[in-house]
Amino acid sequence: MQLPDFDADRFLRDHWQKQPLLIRNPWRAWRNPIEPDELAGLACEEGIESRLVIQSGDSWALEHGPFAEDRFATLGASPWTLLVQAVDHHAPDVAALLAPFRFIPDWRIDDVMVSYATDGGGVGPHFDQYDVFLIQGLGQRRWRVGPRCASDTPLRPHADLRLLPDFQATGEWVLDPGDILYVPPGFAHDGVAVGDDCMTYSVGFRAPARPDLLVEWADHCTAQMPDDALYADPDLRPAAHPGEIAPAAIDRLHAMTIDALQDRDAFAAWFGQHVTTPKYADADWRPDSPFSAADIGALLAEGATLLRNPASRIAFLRKGEDLLLFADGAAFPCAADVAALAERLSAQDHLVLAPAMAPGADLLAALLNQGSLLLEEPDED
């Protein structure tokens, strides 16, 4: 599934993180990837993040899932919206929606959230701090987009939702199935279902926050330091004044605080693991029985197919001819004879094994055993 005639270079130059863009149905044959009943079923499952937004007049109420199976039948006539996060982790056809947008690096991908709304349903005018492609899957939705907001933009008083009290639209469109609206970070927007059975797929891209990076990188560095990493001043001279913190002391303290933080290679290795940590770290995708070296040899010989777990995050760093592969928070050094395999694993959704891949057997076993790769089950014909 690709976007025919879409100019990625022009989009990145003119719109990415700059201006919204409406893309009228670019698909050769659009097909809604998941049915409303299937989405409702996911919202009833433990471990799947879901929300229900119910509108009454000019107010919105928020409920968190999982929901009882009969909850949706009791909602009445008020407009409502069901939102389910990371549907791409559970529905292959939804995961396929990511493919057209992989001109943006994988490490930026968050997930595909899917919403279902009744006539008039929405979550209110708001803004987010991430890039999103809003794909209309079923029915129609009217989108209004406003100006860019900031951290000090006033919000309506609401315990759960970040709603804008004074939304002034600068653009308005009705999206039909297959249409796409790109909204950059910070732009106010409001989507309202036009008619029932409105489904929208939100392909979201994350951006690390500076405070989070600083705290978590510093925590990592601190954990690596020995217990005796103490301030030292063996060349101390008599103090000019007992109450003064001398410039030389500040220089030493500053250096001992930031020197470890400035190790770029260490930061890169840490960041690869950090950014590939699964969105839902408690999910366990490991096989019932671990794969042995003999198992991998048999898979290579029979040409088995491995699938990339759609819930997994995979990325790599180049180190000369070698690679450092990251998968779900783990790091795997890959020598030059395995580097090509590692690149394919990070780029392809499925991989047909061959005996020539034998140097990567240990890597394949490790990725299968932690659930980053899955073994395709044979057809039962």
Side-chain angles (χ1 to χ4, degrees):
M1 180 181 288
Q2 296 299 326
L3 299 180
D5 304 320
F6 178 77
D7 189 330
D9 289 324
R10 178 181 296 177
F11 168 79
L12 293 173
R13 183 192 68 208
D14 297 340
H15 293 279
W16 177 252
Q17 300 196 337
K18 304 174 189 72
Q19 293 292 333
L21 175 66
L22 175 66
I23 307 170
R24 289 297 183 187
N25 190 344
W27 320 93
R28 301 223 184 269
W30 170 258
R31 183 179 65 86
N32 185 45
I34 188 171
E35 294 301 315
D37 287 347
E38 296 176 86
L39 185 69
L42 288 173
C44 298
E45 293 186 18
E46 293 283 349
I48 295 181
E49 185 182 355
S50 59
R51 293 164 290 160
L52 185 61
V53 179
I54 305 169
Q55 185 177 350
S56 178
D58 194 35
S59 64
W60 286 262
L62 176 68
E63 299 178 15
H64 291 276
F67 299 101
E69 292 184 6
D70 62 353
R71 178 66 184 102
F72 307 110
T74 65
L75 289 170
S78 294
W80 56 270
T81 300
L82 172 67
L83 305 108
V84 183
Q85 296 289 155
V87 179
D88 52 309
H89 294 187
H90 309 281
D93 287 346
V94 175
L97 291 177
L98 292 169
F101 305 106
R102 293 187 72 189
F103 60 89
I104 300 166
D106 282 358
W107 70 265
R108 294 292 309 275
I109 294 172
D110 189 11
D111 69 348
V112 182
M113 182 187 75
V114 184
S115 68
Y116 172 90
T118 61
D119 187 27
V123 299
H126 64 286
F127 69 97
D128 307 298
Q129 292 298 350
Y130 53 79
D131 300 89
V132 64
F133 292 91
L134 300 160
I135 305 171
Q136 189 63 24
L138 192 66
Q140 292 182 314
R141 186 181 290 273
R142 175 177 287 104
W143 284 102
R144 295 185 300 151
V145 176
R148 193 188 292 268
C149 301
S151 58
D152 58 353
T153 297
L155 299 175
R156 291 179 55 168
H158 196 291
D160 301 304
L161 299 171
R162 295 172 53 83
L163 302 176
L164 295 167
D166 183 24
F167 175 69
Q168 301 295 324
T170 57
E172 180 174 331
W173 309 274
V174 174
L175 270 63
D176 294 308
D179 291 344
I180 305 170
L181 177 63
Y182 165 71
V183 181
F187 277 81
H189 54 286
D190 182 28
V192 178
V194 179
D196 290 325
D197 289 338
C198 170
M199 294 186 70
T200 302
Y201 297 79
S202 302
V203 180
F205 292 83
R206 57 193 172 140
R210 183 184 299 186
D212 294 340
L213 280 179
L214 282 172
V215 169
E216 294 175 39
W217 169 230
D219 285 346
H220 172 81
C221 290
T222 301
Q224 310 304 310
M225 293 178 183
D227 293 338
D228 60 354
L230 304 175
Y231 175 81
D233 48 5
D235 56 351
L236 182 66
R237 302 178 67 83
H241 192 290
E244 180 184 9
I245 304 175
I250 291 295
D251 290 343
R252 288 178 187 272
L253 291 163
H254 187 240
M256 70 180 290
T257 302
I258 68 170
D259 279 356
L261 301 179
Q262 297 189 93
D263 186 333
R264 187 185 183 283
D265 290 341
F267 175 82
W270 167 82
F271 182 74
Q273 294 178 272
H274 170 76
V275 80
T276 58
T277 299
K279 183 177 179 72
Y280 300 104
D282 292 338
D284 188 355
W285 297 91
R286 292 175 298 177
D288 294 334
S289 301
F291 287 86
S292 66
D295 294 329
I296 299 301
L299 294 175
L300 292 168
E302 68 188 32
T305 299
L306 299 184
L307 305 177
R308 175 171 169 170
N309 186 341
S312 291
R313 290 172 168 170
I314 300 177
F316 67 83
L317 291 172
R318 297 191 188 278
K319 299 174 72 70
E321 295 184 355
D322 302 343
L323 292 182
L324 185 56
L325 182 72
F326 304 100
D328 295 328
F332 302 92
C334 299
D337 60 343
V338 182
L341 174 61
E343 285 195 54
R344 292 178 64 185
L345 292 171
S346 66
Q348 299 179 1
D349 295 329
H350 68 278
L351 180 70
V352 178
L353 299 182
M357 299 176 184
D362 289 341
L363 174 64
L364 294 172
L367 294 175
L368 281 163
N369 288 335
Q370 73 175 24
S372 300
L373 296 178
L374 307 172
L375 179 63
E376 183 179 55
E377 298 295 334
D379 293 334
E380 298 181 358
D381 294 342

